[in-house]
Structures are given as C-alpha cells and as structure tokens.
Amino acid sequence: MALLVVGCWRAVPPGSGTGVRITDIYGERLTVDGAAVQPDVAQPTGVRFARH
C-alpha cells in the first residue's frame, strides 16, 4: 500500500498508524482516528466532507 505525500508515493506497512487525515480539493481536512490502515479493507467512519 502507498500514500501520496507532497507529490511522491511512499510505501506504508500494513497496520501502520491509528488514523488517517484526508484533504479534499477545496482544502477541507478530515481526520479519522482509530482506523488502522489496511489494504483491501472497507472501514466505515461516519465522517463526511461538506458539500461544495
């Protein structure tokens, strides 16, 4: 699995971290705590971006 970090893809070991931060194209950020990063695993969060 990999994450795009400042224009470069970086490898992430499975099970790394305890959460993720996502930024949309408008600059709004969401932080999802307690979600381990796992490949091919859907994890519902209940958080949503605002409508633009």
Coordinates of all heavy atoms in Angstrom, one line a residue:
M1 N 0.8 -1.2 0.0 CA 0.0 0.0 0.0 C 0.9 1.2 0.0 O 2.0 1.2 0.5 CB -0.9 0.0 1.2 CG -1.8 1.2 1.3 SD -3.2 1.2 2.4 CE -2.7 0.2 3.7
A2 N 0.4 2.3 -0.5 CA 1.2 3.6 -0.6 C 0.3 4.8 -0.4 O -0.9 4.7 -0.6 CB 1.9 3.7 -1.9
L3 N 0.9 5.9 0.1 CA 0.2 7.1 0.2 C 0.9 8.2 -0.6 O 2.1 8.2 -0.7 CB 0.2 7.6 1.7 CG -0.5 6.7 2.7 CD1 -0.3 7.2 4.1 CD2 -2.0 6.6 2.4
L4 N 0.1 9.1 -1.1 CA 0.7 10.2 -1.9 C 1.0 11.3 -0.9 O 0.2 11.9 -0.2 CB -0.3 10.7 -2.9 CG 0.2 11.8 -3.8 CD1 1.4 11.4 -4.6 CD2 -0.9 12.3 -4.8
V5 N 2.3 11.6 -0.8 CA 2.8 12.6 0.2 C 3.6 13.7 -0.6 O 4.6 13.4 -1.2 CB 3.7 12.0 1.2 CG1 4.2 13.0 2.2 CG2 3.0 10.9 2.0
V6 N 3.1 14.9 -0.7 CA 3.7 16.0 -1.4 C 4.2 15.6 -2.8 O 5.3 15.8 -3.1 CB 4.8 16.6 -0.5 CG1 5.3 17.9 -1.1 CG2 4.4 16.8 0.9
G7 N 3.3 15.0 -3.5 CA 3.6 14.6 -4.9 C 4.4 13.4 -5.1 O 4.7 13.0 -6.2
C8 N 4.8 12.7 -4.0 CA 5.5 11.4 -4.1 C 4.8 10.3 -3.4 O 4.3 10.5 -2.3 CB 6.9 11.6 -3.5 SG 7.9 12.8 -4.2
W9 N 4.8 9.1 -4.0 CA 4.2 8.0 -3.4 C 5.2 7.3 -2.4 O 6.3 7.1 -2.7 CB 3.8 6.9 -4.5 CG 2.6 7.4 -5.2 CD1 2.6 7.9 -6.5 CD2 1.2 7.3 -4.8 NE1 1.3 8.2 -6.9 CE2 0.5 7.9 -5.9 CE3 0.6 6.9 -3.7 CZ2 -0.9 7.9 -5.8 CZ3 -0.8 7.0 -3.6 CH2 -1.5 7.5 -4.6
R10 N 4.7 7.1 -1.2 CA 5.5 6.5 -0.2 C 4.9 5.2 0.3 O 3.7 5.2 0.6 CB 5.6 7.4 1.0 CG 6.1 8.8 0.6 CD 7.3 9.2 1.3 NE 7.6 10.5 0.8 CZ 8.8 11.0 0.8 NH1 9.8 10.3 1.2 NH2 9.1 12.2 0.4
A11 N 5.7 4.1 0.5 CA 5.2 2.9 0.9 C 4.8 3.0 2.4 O 5.4 3.7 3.2 CB 6.3 1.8 0.8
V12 N 3.7 2.3 2.7 CA 3.2 2.3 4.1 C 3.0 0.8 4.5 O 2.3 0.1 3.9 CB 1.8 3.0 4.2 CG1 1.3 2.9 5.6 CG2 2.0 4.5 3.8
P13 N 3.7 0.4 5.6 CA 3.5 -1.0 6.0 C 2.1 -1.3 6.5 O 1.5 -0.4 7.1 CB 4.5 -1.2 7.2 CG 5.4 0.0 7.1 CD 4.7 1.1 6.4
P14 N 1.5 -2.4 6.1 CA 0.1 -2.7 6.6 C 0.0 -2.6 8.1 O 0.9 -3.0 8.8 CB -0.1 -4.1 6.1 CG 0.8 -4.3 5.0 CD 2.0 -3.5 5.3
G15 N -1.1 -2.1 8.6 CA -1.3 -1.9 10.0 C -0.7 -0.7 10.6 O -0.7 -0.5 11.8
S16 N -0.1 0.2 9.8 CA 0.6 1.3 10.3 C -0.3 2.4 10.8 O -1.4 2.6 10.3 CB 1.5 2.0 9.2 OG 2.5 1.1 8.8
G17 N 0.0 3.0 11.9 CA -0.8 4.1 12.4 C -2.1 3.7 13.0 O -2.5 2.6 13.0
T18 N -2.8 4.7 13.5 CA -4.1 4.5 14.1 C -5.1 5.4 13.5 O -6.2 5.5 14.0 CB -4.0 4.7 15.6 OG1 -3.6 6.1 15.9 CG2 -3.1 3.8 16.3
G19 N -4.8 6.2 12.5 CA -5.7 7.1 11.9 C -5.2 7.6 10.6 O -4.0 7.4 10.2
V20 N -6.1 8.3 9.9 CA -5.7 8.9 8.6 C -6.2 10.3 8.5 O -7.3 10.6 9.2 CB -6.2 8.1 7.4 CG1 -5.5 6.8 7.3 CG2 -7.7 7.9 7.4
R21 N -5.5 11.2 7.8 CA -6.0 12.6 7.5 C -6.2 12.7 6.0 O -5.3 12.3 5.3 CB -5.1 13.6 8.1 CG -5.6 15.0 7.8 CD -4.7 16.1 8.3 NE -4.9 16.1 9.8 CZ -4.0 16.5 10.7 NH1 -2.9 17.1 10.2 NH2 -4.3 16.5 11.9
I22 N -7.3 13.2 5.6 CA -7.6 13.3 4.2 C -7.9 14.8 3.9 O -8.7 15.4 4.6 CB -8.8 12.4 3.8 CG1 -8.6 11.0 4.2 CG2 -9.2 12.6 2.3 CD1 -9.8 10.1 4.3
T23 N -7.4 15.3 2.8 CA -7.7 16.7 2.4 C -8.3 16.6 1.0 O -7.8 16.0 0.1 CB -6.4 17.5 2.3 OG1 -5.7 17.4 3.5 CG2 -6.7 19.0 1.9
D24 N -9.5 17.3 0.8 CA -10.1 17.3 -0.5 C -9.6 18.5 -1.3 O -8.7 19.2 -0.9 CB -11.7 17.4 -0.3 CG -12.2 18.8 0.2 OD1 -11.4 19.7 0.3 OD2 -13.4 18.9 0.4
I25 N -10.1 18.6 -2.6 CA -9.6 19.6 -3.5 C -9.8 21.0 -3.1 O -9.2 21.9 -3.6 CB -10.1 19.3 -4.9 CG1 -11.6 19.5 -5.0 CG2 -9.6 17.9 -5.4 CD1 -12.1 19.4 -6.4
Y26 N -10.7 21.2 -2.1 CA -11.0 22.6 -1.6 C -10.2 22.9 -0.4 O -10.4 24.0 0.2 CB -12.5 22.7 -1.3 CG -13.4 22.4 -2.5 CD1 -14.0 21.2 -2.7 CD2 -13.5 23.4 -3.5 CE1 -14.8 20.9 -3.8 CE2 -14.2 23.1 -4.7 CZ -14.9 21.9 -4.8 OH -15.6 21.7 -5.9
G27 N -9.4 22.0 0.1 CA -8.6 22.2 1.3 C -9.2 21.8 2.6 O -8.6 22.0 3.6
E28 N -10.4 21.3 2.6 CA -11.0 20.8 3.8 C -10.4 19.5 4.2 O -10.1 18.7 3.4 CB -12.5 20.6 3.6 CG -13.2 20.2 4.9 CD -14.7 19.9 4.7 OE1 -15.3 20.1 3.6 OE2 -15.3 19.5 5.7
R29 N -10.1 19.4 5.5 CA -9.4 18.2 6.0 C -10.3 17.5 7.0 O -11.1 18.0 7.8 CB -8.2 18.6 6.8 CG -7.1 19.2 6.0 CD -5.9 19.4 6.8 NE -4.9 20.0 5.9 CZ -3.8 20.7 6.4 NH1 -3.6 20.8 7.7 NH2 -2.9 21.1 5.5
L30 N -10.2 16.1 6.9 CA -10.9 15.2 7.8 C -9.9 14.4 8.5 O -8.9 13.9 7.8 CB -11.9 14.3 7.1 CG -13.1 15.0 6.5 CD1 -14.0 13.9 5.8 CD2 -14.0 15.7 7.5
T31 N -10.0 14.1 9.8 CA -9.1 13.2 10.4 C -10.0 12.1 11.0 O -10.9 12.3 11.7 CB -8.3 13.9 11.6 OG1 -7.6 15.0 11.0 CG2 -7.4 13.0 12.3
V32 N -9.6 10.9 10.7 CA -10.3 9.7 11.1 C -9.4 9.0 12.1 O -8.4 8.4 11.7 CB -10.7 8.8 9.9 CG1 -11.5 7.6 10.4 CG2 -11.5 9.6 8.9
D33 N -9.7 9.0 13.4 CA -8.9 8.4 14.4 C -9.4 6.9 14.6 O -10.6 6.6 14.4 CB -9.0 9.1 15.7 CG -8.4 10.5 15.7 OD1 -7.3 10.6 15.1 OD2 -9.0 11.4 16.2
G34 N -8.5 6.1 15.0 CA -8.8 4.7 15.3 C -9.0 3.8 14.1 O -9.4 2.7 14.3
A35 N -8.7 4.3 12.9 CA -8.8 3.4 11.7 C -7.4 3.0 11.3 O -6.6 3.8 10.8 CB -9.5 4.2 10.6
A36 N -7.1 1.8 11.5 CA -5.8 1.2 11.1 C -5.8 1.2 9.6 O -6.8 0.8 9.0 CB -5.5 -0.1 11.7
V37 N -4.7 1.5 9.0 CA -4.5 1.5 7.5 C -4.3 0.0 7.1 O -3.3 -0.6 7.4 CB -3.4 2.4 7.1 CG1 -3.2 2.3 5.6 CG2 -3.6 3.8 7.5
Q38 N -5.3 -0.6 6.4 CA -5.1 -1.9 5.9 C -5.5 -2.0 4.5 O -6.5 -1.4 4.1 CB -6.1 -2.9 6.7 CG -5.7 -3.0 8.2 CD -4.5 -3.9 8.4 OE1 -4.1 -4.7 7.5 NE2 -3.8 -3.7 9.5
P39 N -4.8 -2.7 3.7 CA -5.2 -2.8 2.2 C -6.4 -3.7 2.1 O -6.7 -4.6 2.8 CB -4.0 -3.5 1.6 CG -3.3 -4.2 2.7 CD -3.6 -3.4 4.0
D40 N -7.3 -3.3 1.1 CA -8.5 -4.0 0.7 C -9.5 -4.2 1.9 O -10.1 -5.2 1.9 CB -8.1 -5.4 0.1 CG -7.2 -5.2 -1.1 OD1 -7.5 -4.3 -1.9 OD2 -6.2 -5.9 -1.3
V41 N -9.5 -3.3 2.8 CA -10.5 -3.3 3.9 C -11.3 -2.1 4.0 O -10.8 -1.0 4.1 CB -9.7 -3.5 5.3 CG1 -10.7 -3.5 6.4 CG2 -8.9 -4.8 5.3
A42 N -12.6 -2.2 3.8 CA -13.5 -1.0 3.9 C -13.8 -0.8 5.4 O -14.1 -1.7 6.1 CB -14.8 -1.3 3.2
Q43 N -13.6 0.5 5.8 CA -13.9 0.8 7.2 C -14.8 2.0 7.3 O -14.3 3.2 7.0 CB -12.5 1.1 7.9 CG -11.6 -0.1 7.9 CD -10.3 0.3 8.6 OE1 -9.8 1.4 8.6 NE2 -9.6 -0.7 9.1
P44 N -16.1 1.8 7.6 CA -17.0 3.0 7.7 C -16.5 3.9 8.8 O -16.1 3.4 9.8 CB -18.3 2.3 7.9 CG -18.0 0.9 8.4 CD -16.7 0.6 7.9
T45 N -16.7 5.2 8.6 CA -16.2 6.1 9.6 C -17.3 7.1 10.2 O -17.2 7.5 11.3 CB -15.1 7.0 9.0 OG1 -15.7 7.8 8.0 CG2 -13.9 6.2 8.6
G46 N -18.3 7.4 9.4 CA -19.3 8.3 9.8 C -18.9 9.8 9.6 O -19.7 10.7 9.9
V47 N -17.7 10.1 9.1 CA -17.3 11.5 8.8 C -17.5 11.8 7.4 O -17.5 10.9 6.5 CB -15.8 11.7 9.2 CG1 -15.6 11.5 10.7 CG2 -14.9 10.9 8.4
R48 N -17.8 13.1 7.1 CA -18.1 13.5 5.7 C -17.6 14.8 5.4 O -17.5 15.7 6.3 CB -19.6 13.5 5.4 CG -20.3 12.2 5.7 CD -21.8 12.4 5.3 NE -22.0 11.3 4.3 CZ -23.1 11.2 3.7 NH1 -24.1 12.1 3.8 NH2 -23.3 10.3 2.8
F49 N -17.2 15.1 4.2 CA -16.8 16.4 3.8 C -18.1 17.2 3.6 O -19.1 16.7 3.3 CB -16.1 16.4 2.4 CG -14.6 15.9 2.5 CD1 -14.3 14.6 2.1 CD2 -13.7 16.7 3.1 CE1 -13.0 14.2 2.2 CE2 -12.4 16.2 3.2 CZ -12.0 15.0 2.7
A50 N -17.9 18.6 3.7 CA -19.0 19.5 3.5 C -19.3 19.5 2.0 O -18.5 19.2 1.2 CB -18.7 20.9 4.0
R51 N -20.6 19.8 1.6 CA -20.9 20.0 0.2 C -20.3 21.2 -0.3 O -20.4 22.3 0.3 CB -22.4 20.0 0.0 CG -23.0 18.6 0.3 CD -24.5 18.6 0.0 NE -24.7 18.7 -1.4 CZ -25.8 18.4 -2.0 NH1 -26.8 18.0 -1.3 NH2 -25.9 18.4 -3.3
H52 N -19.8 21.2 -1.5 CA -19.2 22.4 -2.1 C -19.9 22.7 -3.5 O -20.4 21.8 -4.1 CB -17.7 22.2 -2.5 CG -16.9 22.0 -1.2 ND1 -16.6 23.0 -0.4 CD2 -16.3 20.9 -0.7 CE1 -15.8 22.6 0.6 NE2 -15.7 21.3 0.4

